[in-house]
Amino acid sequence: MQAMKTLAYLTKIAAAISLTILFASCEDFLDKPPQGALTQSNFPKSANDALLATNAVYNTLRNSNYNEGLFPILDIMSDDARKGSNPDDQAASIGLFEIFGHTETEWVIGSWWNTLYLGVKRANVVTEKLPEIEMDETLKQRYIGEAKFLRALFYFDLVRAWGDVPLYTTTQPDMSMGRSPAADVYNQILADLADAISVLPEKSEYSGNDIGRATKGAAKALLAKVYLFLHDYENAEKYALEVINSHQYDLEPLFSDAFSTLNEHGIESVFEVGAVGQEGIENGGNQYANVQGVRGTPNRGWGFNRPSLDLINSFEANDPRKDATVIFLGEVLDGVTILGDGKTPDETYDSQGNLIEIECYNQKVWTPGQTVPPSFGHNRRIIRFADVLLIAAEALNENNKSDIALPYLNRVRQRARQGNDAILPDITITDKDQLRDIILNERRHELALESQRFWDLVRTGKATQVLGPLGYITGKHELLPIPQAELDLTGNKWPQNPLW
C-alpha cells in the first residue's frame, strides 16, 4: 500500500515548494513568503522544477474544495442522496441543494469554481513553461501531457457545471475576457485529450513513484465520457472500446473491492486521486471521504451525502451492490459496529407520517479504523473500468448496435451478482429505447454516490421527470449559477446563467 501512496507524498512536497511561487494571488497562500529568490520568472527552469510544477497540478485534486466545493453537491442534487449529517448541520446552505433552493451566493459554488481554476492555472504553467526547459524530451512531453489531461478534467467540470466559462490557456491571460462559448471550451478539452493520448504511457508502463499518474487509457476514457455528454456516440464508442481492448483494465472480482484500500490503483482503476491517512492536504490527506464518513460512533467524519431511500429501494432484489454502497446502522465493518450520531434521528418522517430518510452512510468511502485520520487516506476513484464498460454499452446502443452493447452491460451485472445466478440475470432486451433506460438504471446502481447521477439525468433528458418533484426547474437547474463574487469582480459585465 505504501507504494500506492507515493504520488500523494510527491504532490505534497511539490505543493510546498511551488504553489506560493506560482499562485501568490490565491488567498490560501497570501501569508506564505516566497522560498528563497524564486519567482514566476525563474520557475520552473530545471528538470526537477518541471517535476515539481507537474506534481502541483495533481495536488489540486486533493484540495478539499475540488470535491464540488467540499460537499458532494452533485449527488445531493440527484435522487441518490440527501444532505445528511444531523438535521441542523449546514441546513441553510448545503440543505438547499437537495431541494434546488441554492443561489448564486452559496459559498460552496464559489469554492468549487475557484479550485477548478486554480488547477487550470497550475496546468497552464506546465504547458507554457516546460517547452523552454532543457531536459529529456520524452519526459518533458509526458509531463505536458499529464498537465493537459488534468486541464481537460478541470474544464470538463467547469463547462458541465456552468456552461460558458472563461477559457484560459496561458499564464498571462486577458483578465477582461468574458465567458467563452461552451463549444470553445469543449474544443479545448478535446484538443488537450488528443495531445495527452499521443504522449502518455499506458498504465502498465508506470511503476514505483509514478503509479497514479495520468495514462493513455485515462485520457481515452475521459474523452469517451466527454463525447457521451456531447451525444457524439460514434466517438464515445470508439474511445471506450479502445480502453477496453487495451487489456490494461478489468473489473475487480468483487464490487466492494473496487473501493478498498487494498486495491488502490488496482486493475479497475482508470484514474484515481491518491491520498495519505493524515488530516490536511499539507500532510497528503484528502477530505473527500471525511466529509461523508460515519458521524458519531465511530467518529469517522461529518456524515454528509446520505444515501436516499429512493436509491436504497431502487436496487434489484438481493443486488449485493446495495449493501456495498450503503452503511446501515448496526452493521459491522472491519470489526467496527456502526452506531451513528445521537443528534440524528434513526428515521425521519414527513408531516403525513411517511418515512422519508434513515440514518445511513456512503460505504464507498469507508476506510478501516475508528478515528478520523484514516478517512483522509481514501483514494477517490474518478474513473472506473465499470464506467467505461457502461459508456461503451450506451454508445453502442445509441449507434443501433444494441446486440453488441449487451456483453458490456452484462459484464458489469455478472460481476455484481458475485456468482449467484439466481439474481441480476443477463439483459437480453435489444429494443433501443428500452435498453437505453436499462443502461441508465444500471449506471445508477453501479456508480451510485460517485457524482455521476445528476449529470446522467441532465444529459439523457431525464432530469425534469426524475428531479422535478424535488424542485428541479427545466432551463435553469441544468447549470449552476455563476458565483456572484465573480460577477462582482467583472462589474456585472458577465451575463448570469438563465433564470438565476
Side-chain angles (χ1 to χ4, degrees):
M1 187 186 304
Q2 187 66 28
M4 300 301 183
K5 298 293 190 182
T6 304
L7 184 57
Y9 279 115
L10 291 178
T11 57
K12 174 183 72 173
I13 295 169
I17 294 175
S18 65
L19 298 189
T20 301
I21 304 160
L22 301 177
F23 311 111
S25 62
C26 300
E27 290 183 6
D28 290 348
F29 308 108
L30 280 175
D31 59 348
K32 298 182 180 180
Q35 299 192 12
L38 291 174
T39 67
Q40 189 159 335
S41 64
N42 64 17
F43 181 92
K45 288 292 186 181
S46 67
N48 187 60
D49 290 347
L51 172 62
L52 294 174
T54 305
N55 287 351
V57 191
Y58 283 98
N59 201 52
T60 310
L61 303 174
R62 289 189 299 103
N63 184 315
S64 59
N65 289 315
Y66 169 73
N67 303 312
E68 300 155 43
L70 184 61
F71 299 91
I73 59 173
L74 292 176
D75 285 327
I76 294 170
M77 288 193 296
S78 79
D79 52 343
D80 280 359
R82 302 291 297 264
K83 170 186 76 70
S85 189
N86 67 49
D88 296 330
D89 195 2
Q90 300 294 326
S93 54
I94 309 308
L96 296 177
F97 286 93
E98 69 179 15
I99 58 172
F100 294 92
H102 51 281
T103 69
E104 61 272 19
T105 59
E106 295 301 337
W107 65 270
V108 293
I109 294 176
S111 295
W112 191 20
W113 168 288
N114 290 336
T115 304
L116 291 170
Y117 272 112
L118 177 62
V120 168
K121 288 193 290 184
R122 294 175 180 177
N124 289 346
V125 169
V126 175
T127 61
E128 183 175 298
K129 300 294 185 180
L130 263 61
E132 304 169 3
I133 297 177
E134 292 186 8
M135 59 178 291
D136 179 86
E137 188 63 26
T138 300
L139 185 58
K140 178 197 295 185
Q141 292 305 315
R142 195 197 85 190
Y143 287 163
I144 293 172
E146 292 176 55
K148 287 187 175 182
F149 167 82
L150 292 168
R151 184 168 67 185
L153 184 67
F154 300 138
Y155 267 124
F156 190 37
D157 275 350
L158 281 162
V159 74
R160 284 186 297 176
W162 288 281
D164 299 348
V165 293
L167 181 58
Y168 303 132
T169 57
T170 73
T171 60
Q172 300 294 328
D174 178 3
M175 299 311 295
S176 65
M177 178 188 297
R179 297 172 62 185
S180 303
D184 292 350
V185 180
Y186 274 113
N187 286 337
Q188 184 64 51
I189 291 170
L190 298 177
D192 276 349
L193 291 174
D195 288 347
I197 289 168
S198 70
V199 296
L200 291 178
E202 294 284 10
K203 183 177 181 177
S204 60
E205 298 177 62
Y206 280 130
S207 62
N209 292 347
D210 289 328
I211 291 175
R213 293 187 180 277
T215 64
K216 191 181 299 292
K220 288 182 177 181
L222 182 56
L223 192 53
K225 188 179 285 287
V226 172
Y227 277 124
L228 192 72
F229 204 86
L230 291 173
H231 304 121
D232 183 343
Y233 299 112
E234 288 187 10
N235 275 311
E237 172 190 328
K238 167 183 165 62
Y239 287 103
L241 290 180
E242 285 188 13
V243 176
I244 294 167
N245 294 331
S246 72
H247 303 295
Q248 294 284 314
Y249 311 94
D250 202 347
L251 297 174
E252 295 284 357
L254 298 177
F255 174 74
S256 58
D257 289 346
F259 313 97
S260 168
T261 55
L262 300 177
N263 292 296
E264 292 164 349
H265 303 292
I267 191 68
E268 188 165 343
S269 175
V270 181
F271 188 69
E272 68 183 67
V273 182
V276 178
Q278 298 180 37
E279 295 185 62
I281 186 175
E282 68 279 3
N283 295 315
N286 186 346
Q287 202 168 2
Y288 175 73
N290 172 253
V291 169
Q292 304 175 65
V294 174
R295 187 182 183 104
T297 305
N299 178 22
R300 305 307 312 284
W302 299 356
F304 288 92
N305 202 34
R306 176 168 298 141
S308 68
L309 280 176
D310 191 87
L311 171 64
I312 293 169
N313 294 332
S314 71
F315 283 93
E316 293 176 57
N318 300 312
D319 187 339
R321 290 176 296 190
K322 180 172 77 172
D323 285 334
T325 299
V326 183
I327 299 177
F328 295 97
L329 295 186
E331 188 171 348
V332 179
L333 295 174
D334 296 309
V336 179
T337 301
I338 309 301
L339 300 178
D341 178 34
K343 294 183 179 180
T344 299
D346 292 353
E347 297 180 340
T348 301
Y349 296 83
D350 65 16
S351 58
Q352 284 75 46
N354 300 309
L355 179 66
I356 59 173
E357 186 174 358
I358 63 172
E359 184 181 357
C360 57
Y361 299 93
N362 180 2
Q363 188 161 325
K364 288 182 175 180
V365 301
W366 171 265
T367 57
Q370 299 191 55
T371 58
V372 168
S375 69
F376 281 76
H378 169 78
N379 281 17
R380 181 183 179 186
R381 275 64 167 182
I382 301 293
I383 306 175
R384 292 196 288 121
F385 185 60
D387 190 4
V388 178
L389 290 170
L390 293 174
I391 290 172
E394 182 175 344
L396 285 161
N397 183 56
E398 296 299 333
N399 291 332
N400 300 308
K401 303 174 185 177
S402 302
D403 56 332
I404 303 176
L406 291 179
Y408 300 105
L409 169 62
N410 287 326
R411 190 171 169 184
V412 174
R413 290 175 65 81
Q414 288 161 8
R415 189 272 295 272
R417 63 177 174 254
Q418 299 177 187
N420 183 356
D421 291 336
I423 62 173
L424 300 176
D426 281 358
I427 302 298
T428 58
I429 293 171
T430 55
D431 177 83
K432 183 176 180 179
D433 293 335
Q434 292 182 58
L435 188 55
R436 180 186 297 121
D437 289 341
I438 289 170
I439 292 170
L440 180 63
N441 196 49
E442 194 68 32
R443 287 185 62 83
R444 183 184 193 188
H445 298 137
E446 178 68 28
L447 305 171
L449 306 178
E450 297 180 49
S451 299
Q452 302 278 356
R453 177 67 171 171
F454 179 78
W455 296 136
D456 282 349
L457 292 173
V458 169
R459 67 177 178 78
T460 59
K462 299 284 188 180
T464 301
Q465 172 190 339
V466 175
L467 303 179
L470 303 179
Y472 178 94
I473 298 173
T474 305
K476 176 179 182 179
H477 289 125
E478 294 88 347
L479 300 174
L480 293 173
I482 300 295
Q484 186 59 49
E486 298 300 318
L487 297 181
D488 292 342
L489 287 172
T490 69
N492 288 302
K493 293 179 180 178
W494 290 1
Q496 180 56 278
N497 278 331
L499 302 183
W500 287 99

